[in-house]
Amino acid sequence: MKLYSYIVTHDTGFSPNPFWGSCTLANCKPGIRRTAEVGDWIVGLSRKVRGNRIVFAMNVEEILDYKHYYHDKRFSKKIPDFTKEKVICKSGDNIYKPLPNGGFKQLRSMHSIGEQENPMTKTHDLGGLNVLVGKKFRYFGASGPKLPPRLECLKVGRAHKNRFSRETITEFFQFISSYPQGVTAHPTNWPAGDSSWHQVHE
């Protein structure tokens, strides 16, 4: 079992996507998504200017490829729907529709350029190969707790860390377990006046 830490540069509810009953990491951080295994934990921190607070922490319970993620009915609500006004419906991360030739179409999303695909983000996302799924997660968004002094080693730069001692991992579990599971606050970059982020979804 490993613990990964990284900086959530853009906390919009897209990557990670903590809505509709599970926390998913389907875009960005390809290095983590290629190597993480079931049972590992992922912790995302805010940028240094925001104090490196915890944005989210999730246990990897399932790993899917993009084809199965897209077609799995459990995650159909994570396909962005821009016909609806609620921001939560537009922030979905299930954005790669399988094509008959084996490729994928990038849907309109936070990674596209309007209706057009963004080749840069598409290549970067698909390079991660996998989608990480967890139902055991804490998502704090803009209201994340500070790391206690004993866990400041989780702070990281532009890449990610995953080489932590067993003692550090144990300390992390003890710390994060004191917080309730699920979504407790809106993403850092979330439109004022939209409350769809805290609605209960089955």
Side-chain angles (χ1 to χ4, degrees):
M1 181 185 66
K2 299 185 294 295
L3 171 64
Y4 290 81
S5 70
Y6 78 97
I7 299 298
V8 182
T9 307
H10 303 288
D11 176 33
T12 62
F14 172 72
S15 181
N17 182 280
F19 305 126
W20 310 108
S22 63
C23 187
T24 48
L25 191 61
N27 302 287
C28 303
K29 309 314 295 182
I32 294 178
R33 292 187 288 111
R34 281 195 303 268
T35 58
E37 300 176 333
V38 171
D40 290 346
W41 276 81
I42 316 293
V43 56
L45 307 175
S46 64
R47 293 177 297 165
K48 184 177 180 179
V49 69
R50 291 184 175 274
N52 288 138
R53 293 174 177 269
I54 297 179
V55 174
F56 83 103
M58 67 175 283
N59 177 240
V60 179
E61 298 174 77
E62 191 173 1
I63 300 175
L64 301 173
D65 59 31
Y66 282 102
K67 179 179 179 179
H68 287 90
Y69 183 53
Y70 186 83
H71 288 300
D72 194 317
K73 293 182 179 179
R74 293 175 298 165
F75 309 110
S76 61
K77 290 184 178 179
K78 287 179 179 273
I79 298 174
D81 186 350
F82 283 79
T83 66
K84 297 181 178 179
E85 293 185 5
K86 293 180 180 179
V87 178
I88 192 174
C89 298
K90 304 174 185 178
S91 63
D93 65 354
N94 195 349
I95 66 172
Y96 290 103
K97 181 178 181 179
L99 299 174
N101 64 3
F104 294 89
K105 173 180 174 57
Q106 185 188 63
L107 304 179
R108 182 182 177 186
S109 62
M110 292 187 179
H111 265 190
S112 68
I113 305 173
E115 297 287 349
Q116 302 299 315
E117 294 190 0
N118 183 326
M120 183 177 298
T121 57
K122 182 178 181 179
T123 299
H124 189 69
D125 292 342
L126 294 177
L129 303 179
N130 302 314
V131 177
L132 309 181
V133 182
K135 287 187 174 295
K136 297 177 182 178
F137 69 93
R138 279 86 172 169
Y139 180 82
F140 306 101
S143 302
K146 291 182 179 180
L147 288 170
R150 65 184 184 277
L151 289 176
E152 288 196 348
C153 59
L154 269 62
K155 293 181 179 180
V156 63
R158 296 183 62 184
H160 71 264
K161 288 184 179 180
N162 68 342
R163 295 181 179 180
F164 299 107
S165 68
R166 184 166 298 277
E167 179 181 6
T168 296
I169 294 175
T170 299
E171 292 275 8
F172 169 75
F173 287 150
Q174 293 175 345
F175 175 72
I176 204 66
S177 295
S178 66
Y179 292 90
Q181 293 195 49
V183 180
T184 59
H186 64 79
T188 306
N189 302 309
W190 193 261
D194 182 277
S195 61
S196 60
W197 63 270
H198 68 65
Q199 296 178 3
V200 177
H201 305 281
E202 300 296 335

